[in-house]
Amino acid sequence: MDALKTTPVEDLAEDEAAAELARLAKAIAHHDRRYYQEDAPEIDDAAYDELRRRNSAIEARFPHLIRADSPSQRIGAPPVAAFGKVRHAVPMLSLDNAFDEEEVAEFVRRIRRFLNLGEDAALDFVAEPKIDGLSATLRYERGVLVQGATRGDGSEGEDVTANLKTLQDVPLQLDGDAPAVLEVRGEVYMEHEAFAALNQARSQAGEAVFANPRNAAAGSLRQLDPSITAKRPLRFFAYSWGEAEPKVTGTYGGFLERLRGLGFRTNPQTRHGSSVDDLVAYHAELGHHRADLGYDIDGVVYKLDRIDLQERLGFVGRAPRWAIAHKFAAEQAETTIEDIQIQVGRTGALTPVAHLKPVTVGGVVVARATLHNQDYIQEKDIRIGDTVVVQRAGDVIPQVVEVVAQLRPEGTVPFTFPDRCPVCGSQAVRPEGEAIRRCTGGLICPAQLVERLKHFVARDAFDIEGLGKLQIPQLHEAGLVESPADLFRLASEPDRKAKLLELPRWGAKKVENLLTAIEERRRIGLDRFVYALGIRFIGEVNAKLLARHYHDLDHFREAMAKVAEGDADARAELEAIDGVGPKLVEALAEFFAEAHNLDAVDDLLTYVTVVPVEAPKAQATSRLAGKTVVFTGTLEQMSRAEAKARAEQLGAKVTGSVSKSTDLVIVGADAGSKAKKAAELGVEVVDEAGWLALAKG
Ligand code: IVH
C-alpha cells in the first residue's frame, strides 16, 4: 500500500486509477473482515481511514470508475421510488416444522424410506440454529456481488441490492477463486443489543418502536433509502445457495467451510450429528443457551449433510424433504380476557377472538388471541373475565391455551356462541361433524365480501400495492368496490376515480399510484389467479399445483366445469394430482357450480389476462415431459415416493390408475392388474431398468 499512497490522486492516470480502485476494494474488504468478523485487525484505525479516504478521493476524480464492489457503496446508494422485482432462478424455500422428538424421528425415517435405506445405514446431518430474521439471497458473478434480493413469495422477491451492500457481513467481492455464478442465501437479522439501542433512539425521537428484532431487521432492510439501512446494524449468516455455476457438490458441512473461505459468516453453533439422539441433544443444549446467543432463534434446523442425497430427496410443496426445523416450545404468559368477539372470515367462518389485557409474550405485546371455535371455548370453559395462559410460537397467531381456574372472579357466565352472523344477521350454521359455524350470507355478507377482496389484493394473489387491510373496507363502505372486477373499474371508469379522490386520505398522488398499480396487474399468472379466487383449501401451494397441472386458464376452467358437473374422469384427474385431497376437490366443485362465482370470474376476465404458468425447465428435454405415467409393482432401486417425485420433476403427470389417457406404465416386481390392463389397452410398458434410464433425464 505504501507505494500506492505516494502517487498523489491528482497525478493518477485513468488506467492507474482503475487498477488502484480494484486493489483498494480488495484491501478494504480484507481489513473489514479482519475487524468485523474475526475481531483481529491488522492495521490501526488511522491507516484504515486513510485507505477509505484515498478510495473516495479517486472515485471523486473518476466517478465513472466506481466499482460495483467499491467500499463506498456500503454507505448507501441514493433512494429509489420502489423496489424492483427479482425472479429467483432457484426458488427460495421454507422448512417444515417438527415440534418433538417423535416428529424428528419420523423425519429421519421418511428420509430412509424415500432413499430405500436400511435402518442402520449411516446418515449424517448438520444441525444449526434457526435464526429469527428474514432470508435474503446474494448473487455473485465472477466473484462480484451483482444483486441482492429478499425472499418475497419464494419465487419472486424485491431487489434490495443497494441495501444489502451496506451490511458489513456481506462481501462485495468474494475471496479466493471466484465461481462463474454463486447465489449465497442466508438470514438477515439484528442482535439484541442493537435492537434495544435502536428502539431507545426511536422512542426518544418520538418514533414508533419495533415489536421485535425480526421486524426491526425487516423494516431496516426494506428501506427505499439505503442510507437508512446503512445506519441500522444488520447482520448476515450464510446457510444456503441458489443458482451456482459450477454446481455445489459434496457435503453441506463442506459448503459452509467454503462459504467462510469466500468471506461469509456462518453460524459458529453449527454441529454434526448422525442420530436422532444427537440431533435432539443439540436442540436441548441450544435451548438452554438460547438467551446467551445475543440474537433471536426460534428453533434449530437439521439438514442432511450429503448434497447428492439432498438432490434425490427434492421437495414437497415449498419445503425440502432433506431438512426440517425443530422448533422450541412456545412462550407463554398470563393475562385476563376483557371481551370475546366474533370475526367473520372470507369463507364465512365465525372465529371467536379473545380481547386481552395487553401482555408481553416472548418480547411481543399481545392484545388478541384466537379461541379457534365454539367447541374450544366450551371444552375449556373460557369466559369473559377469566385469567388465561396465552401462548405464542413464531409467526403463528397467539392462542389461549388454558384457564387459570383458581383466579376466576365471581359472577362470570359461560360464553354463548351466536347462531347468527354478527355482521349481516344471516343464520350461522354448523354442519354435522364440523367444528366451524359459518355465516350463510355468502356475498350479501359485507364481512365475507370484504375479506374476499382483501384476499384478492394480497401479496400472493393480485398483489395490488396501496390496497390492504385498511383501504379495502373503506372502498367497500363508500360503495366503490363490491367485486374483484370493480377494482379494475376504478382505473377505467372516470366516475369511480372522481369518487375515490373525494375519500379521506386519498390525495391525487396516492390515487394515481393506486391506479398504476392496478393497471400493472392486468396480466397475471394462472397460479396467482387461482389463489386469488379465495376458494376454500386453496393456499399458495395448491394453487401452484393446479396451475402447473392445467397450465392455462382455458384448460383449468374446462376441467373445473366438468368437475362441478360430476364428470368422473375430470374428478379422477384432479384427485390424482399429488397433494390434492378430497376436501379440495369438493371445494372446487362447489365453487364452480355456483353461477354467481362464474359471473364474477367472467366479469373479472373482461379486465384481466391470465398467463399460463411456465413449465418447469426439465420438461422441454425429457422424454417424460407432458406424459401421463403410472407406477405399479415394487421397484428395487428406488422407493415409490422417489420415483414419483423424479417423474414429476421431469414433467410427467403421475396418476394411480391405467386408462386410455395413460402414456406409460412402469412395471416393478409383482405387478398385478395394472400391468395387465396396460397390455389390454396397448399402453407402452417399461420395466425397472427402462425406468432408471428414463429417470436420468
Ligand atoms: S434453510 C432449503 N437454515 O427459516 C433451505 N433456513 O422456515 C431453506 N431460516 O425461509 C432454508 N435460519 O428464512 C435455513 N439455518 C437456517 C435458517 C433458516 C433461519 C429461515 C429462512 C427460511 C425459514 C424457513
Side-chain angles (χ1 to χ4, degrees):
M1 271 313 138
D2 280 350
L4 294 172
K5 270 193 242 158
T6 50
T7 317
V9 173
E10 313 79 83
D11 300 342
L12 285 173
E14 184 162 332
D15 57 340
E16 289 169 332
E20 197 173 340
L21 285 175
R23 276 191 295 261
L24 281 165
K26 251 204 155 93
I28 292 170
H30 171 77
H31 293 302
D32 279 346
R33 202 144 44 235
R34 296 293 293 177
Y35 183 91
Y36 288 105
Q37 285 168 35
E38 292 155 21
D39 208 10
E42 284 169 4
I43 55 174
D44 63 17
D45 290 358
Y48 175 81
D49 289 345
E50 178 50 33
L51 293 180
R52 296 208 57 138
R53 257 199 302 277
R54 191 166 169 81
N55 188 68
S56 307
I58 300 175
E59 287 183 346
R61 230 196 109 200
F62 300 97
H64 61 286
L65 295 182
I66 296 177
R67 302 168 57 87
D69 65 353
S70 165
S72 65
Q73 299 294 298
R74 288 211 193 270
I75 313 296
V80 292
F83 297 118
K85 299 273 187 227
V86 175
R87 200 138 252 291
H88 302 305
V90 175
M92 290 183 75
L93 300 148
S94 59
L95 293 168
D96 275 341
N97 293 325
F99 292 96
D100 57 28
E101 178 163 356
E102 175 44 34
E103 289 178 2
V104 176
E106 176 52 27
F107 159 71
V108 176
R109 283 197 294 269
R110 200 166 58 223
I111 291 180
R112 288 186 190 282
R113 276 200 304 274
F114 193 97
L115 296 174
N116 235 354
L117 294 176
E119 259 186 44
D120 30 55
L123 275 184
D124 286 316
F125 291 90
V126 172
E128 63 191 16
K130 182 167 188 300
I131 317 294
D132 202 2
L134 69 152
S135 47
T137 181
L138 303 164
R139 187 182 174 87
Y140 292 86
E141 290 177 3
R142 283 174 297 280
V144 177
L145 175 61
V146 294
Q147 190 168 59
T150 60
R151 172 172 183 273
D153 64 4
S155 315
E156 194 178 81
E158 284 174 328
D159 185 340
V160 287
T161 312
N163 305 42
L164 282 165
K165 277 187 175 174
T166 68
L167 271 65
Q168 290 296 347
D169 293 338
V170 170
L172 301 174
Q173 182 178 341
L174 300 179
D175 271 355
D177 278 347
V181 175
L182 181 63
E183 272 177 40
V184 174
R185 293 173 174 180
E187 203 81 353
V188 174
Y189 67 99
M190 196 180 279
E191 289 175 350
H192 289 153
E193 240 173 72
F195 169 69
L198 173 64
N199 262 357
Q200 200 188 359
R202 286 177 73 85
S203 101
Q204 274 165 10
E207 290 165 339
V209 294
F210 288 108
N212 53 44
R214 182 163 48 100
N215 288 1
S220 301
L221 185 63
R222 297 186 65 255
Q223 287 288 334
L224 292 171
D225 180 353
S227 71
I228 298 180
T229 310
K231 291 192 199 110
R232 305 276 172 84
L234 294 175
R235 309 227 57 181
F236 183 79
F237 273 132
Y239 56 62
S240 171
W241 70 94
E243 193 177 347
E245 184 52 53
K247 270 183 64 168
V248 176
T249 54
T251 62
Y252 178 59
F255 173 69
L256 289 177
E257 210 166 291
R258 185 168 156 224
L259 282 179
R260 289 188 288 274
L262 292 171
F264 291 94
R265 280 173 79 230
T266 63
N267 200 302
Q269 307 292 332
T270 305
R271 300 283 179 274
H272 278 268
S274 50
S275 67
V276 173
D277 286 350
D278 288 351
L279 301 180
V280 173
Y282 172 81
H283 179 265
E285 190 193 311
L286 205 64
H288 293 308
H289 299 304
R290 192 176 166 189
D292 310 324
L293 290 176
Y295 50 86
D296 279 353
I297 63 174
D298 57 349
V300 299
V301 184
Y302 307 136
K303 299 176 179 170
L304 193 63
D305 200 24
R306 269 176 57 182
I307 294 169
D308 60 333
L309 297 185
Q310 292 185 359
E311 284 167 354
R312 278 177 58 192
L313 283 153
F315 307 88
V316 229
R318 304 187 142 247
R321 287 194 185 84
W322 44 265
I324 201 159
H326 186 179
K327 297 305 233 359
F328 289 128
E331 316 230 23
Q332 300 189 330
E334 280 183 17
T335 185
T336 53
I337 298 192
E338 294 177 332
D339 195 9
I340 297 178
Q341 290 188 3
I342 306 287
Q343 262 177 17
V344 185
R346 173 161 60 84
T347 56
L350 304 193
T351 307
V353 177
H355 288 230
L356 307 165
K357 182 158 175 264
V359 62
T360 310
V361 192
V364 175
V365 179
V366 172
R368 251 152 247 232
T370 178
L371 295 173
H372 304 288
N373 56 49
Q374 190 168 5
D375 289 350
Y376 192 81
I377 298 182
Q378 234 158 36
E379 269 157 32
K380 302 203 183 276
D381 188 18
I382 299 168
R383 305 181 182 193
I384 296 172
D386 270 343
T387 296
V388 290
V389 176
V390 180
Q391 169 173 301
R392 188 192 141 252
D395 268 348
V396 297
I397 310 167
Q399 32 179 330
V400 168
V401 279
E402 64 187 0
V403 173
V404 188
Q406 57 283 23
L407 294 180
R408 173 169 287 169
E410 274 177 41
T412 62
V413 289
F415 181 74
T416 31
F417 207 91
D419 55 10
R420 294 208 160 260
C421 171
V423 178
C424 71
S426 301
Q427 280 236 347
V429 297
R430 185 175 164 191
E432 268 298 306
E434 283 199 19
I436 305 286
R437 195 172 274 280
R438 279 174 207 283
C439 162
T440 54
L443 287 180
I444 69 133
C445 176
Q448 285 189 48
L449 183 55
V450 165
E451 291 307 316
R452 282 187 205 194
L453 289 168
K454 279 188 202 166
H455 176 83
F456 186 84
V457 300
R459 197 173 79 174
D460 299 322
F462 268 72
D463 190 20
I464 298 182
E465 214 163 330
L467 280 185
K469 279 207 285 271
L470 300 175
Q471 294 78 20
I472 290 284
Q474 187 194 18
L475 298 193
H476 176 257
E477 219 162 280
L480 277 173
V481 176
E482 279 177 348
S483 70
D486 282 347
L487 289 166
F488 293 93
R489 289 188 190 105
L490 286 175
S492 63
E493 295 179 5
D495 281 6
R496 286 192 201 240
K497 179 178 166 187
K499 251 181 118 178
L500 180 57
L501 278 162
E502 285 165 17
L503 293 184
R505 297 185 300 278
W506 284 95
K509 177 131 190 359
K510 198 165 150 195
V511 170
E512 271 328 307
N513 288 344
L514 175 64
L515 300 187
T516 316
I518 290 174
E519 279 299 320
E520 278 172 6
R521 290 297 180 267
R522 290 185 52 166
R523 279 175 70 79
I524 187 162
L526 179 61
D527 48 347
R528 280 175 178 267
F529 184 82
V530 169
Y531 175 75
L533 296 178
I535 301 165
R536 269 176 87 189
F537 307 115
I538 299 204
E540 268 177 272
V541 172
N542 284 334
K544 278 219 164 76
L545 286 176
L546 292 171
R548 285 215 186 108
H549 183 89
Y550 292 104
H551 184 61
D552 60 43
L553 182 67
D554 288 345
H555 281 107
F556 176 67
R557 278 200 76 173
E558 200 178 311
M560 291 308 110
K562 287 190 182 158
V563 168
E565 283 165 16
D567 180 301
D569 283 346
R571 237 170 216 258
E573 180 179 348
L574 180 58
E575 274 162 7
I577 302 175
D578 195 15
V580 170
K583 285 185 172 172
L584 181 63
V585 177
E586 253 347 284
L588 282 164
E590 267 174 36
F591 184 91
F592 286 96
E594 280 286 347
H596 68 243
N597 288 337
L598 302 180
D599 291 345
V601 170
D602 285 334
D603 191 12
L604 182 58
L605 289 173
T606 59
Y607 299 96
V608 170
T609 309
V610 179
V611 200
V613 292
E614 277 169 48
K617 267 190 206 150
Q619 284 206 2
T621 51
S622 164
R623 247 201 70 197
L624 289 172
K627 297 281 162 60
T628 303
V629 307
V630 173
F631 286 94
T632 178
T634 317
L635 299 176
E636 309 280 329
Q637 305 284 319
M638 221 184 242
S639 69
R640 176 72 72 83
E642 180 173 8
K644 201 170 160 192
R646 181 68 187 136
E648 281 171 356
Q649 247 176 27
L650 292 169
K653 195 152 69 182
V654 181
T655 66
S657 61
V658 179
S659 72
K660 48 182 187 324
S661 54
T662 309
D663 296 304
L664 178 68
V665 177
I666 294 132
V667 180
D670 303 323
S673 62
K674 290 182 194 170
K676 230 173 93 194
K677 183 143 189 219
E680 279 166 24
L681 292 172
V683 174
E684 186 185 351
V685 171
V686 297
D687 61 6
E688 177 156 4
W691 156 247
L692 289 173
L694 286 171
K696 290 208 181 90

